[in-house]
């Protein structure tokens, strides 16, 4: 994910909230430590701050159930971003 430099002080909270929103929206998320479930600020880039989300689920990566879950993850990320009054940074180059 890409965020604006002006929002640097909000990244820790948004990362926590992204994980929380995914866990609420997706009961099949593996959060017991056997697979990674993380959201971290991972870098300063030229035109944005980079955040990585990694989540694994007890769902086969095919079919309708997979695509419905994927959409729930994207919606959960967006809820956390909106809740923290952030906007995604668009690619400039």
């Amino acid at each position: 994910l890409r965020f604006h430099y002006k929002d640097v002080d909000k990244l820790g909270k948004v990362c926590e909230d992204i994980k929380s929103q995914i866990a609420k929206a997706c009961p099949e998320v593996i959060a017991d430590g056997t697979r990674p479930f993380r959201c971290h600020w991972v870098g300063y880039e030229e035109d944005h701050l980079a955040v990585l989300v990694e989540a694994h689920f007890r769902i086969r990566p095919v079919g309708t159930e997979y695509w419905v879950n994927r959409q729930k993850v994207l919606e959960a990320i967006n809820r956390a971003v909106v809740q923290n009054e952030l906007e995604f940074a668009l690619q400039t180059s």
Side-chain angles (χ1 to χ4, degrees), residues 6-90:
K6 68 179 178 64
D7 295 321
V8 67
D9 293 332
K10 297 180 181 181
L11 288 187
K13 178 79 165 78
V14 78
C15 286
E16 292 173 15
D17 290 348
I18 287 171
K19 281 186 64 177
S20 175
Q21 288 292 333
I22 291 172
K24 285 184 209 174
C26 305
E28 295 298 322
V29 69
I30 300 171
D32 61 6
T34 59
R35 298 295 308 267
F37 178 39
R38 55 183 151 222
C39 180
H40 294 288
W41 174 18
V42 295
Y44 292 99
E45 302 299 332
E46 182 177 328
D47 61 349
H48 69 280
L49 301 167
V51 169
L52 173 73
V53 178
E54 183 177 3
H56 298 268
F57 302 88
R58 291 179 192 88
I59 296 173
R60 294 189 60 211
V62 295
T64 301
E65 184 181 19
Y66 168 79
W67 289 105
V68 168
N69 187 72
R70 185 178 173 114
Q71 181 172 323
K72 287 181 183 179
V73 170
L74 296 173
E75 291 168 347
I77 291 169
N78 187 64
R79 272 193 304 278
V81 169
V82 169
Q83 173 183 330
N84 283 276
E85 300 178 344
L86 295 171
E87 293 180 357
F88 295 108
L90 301 176

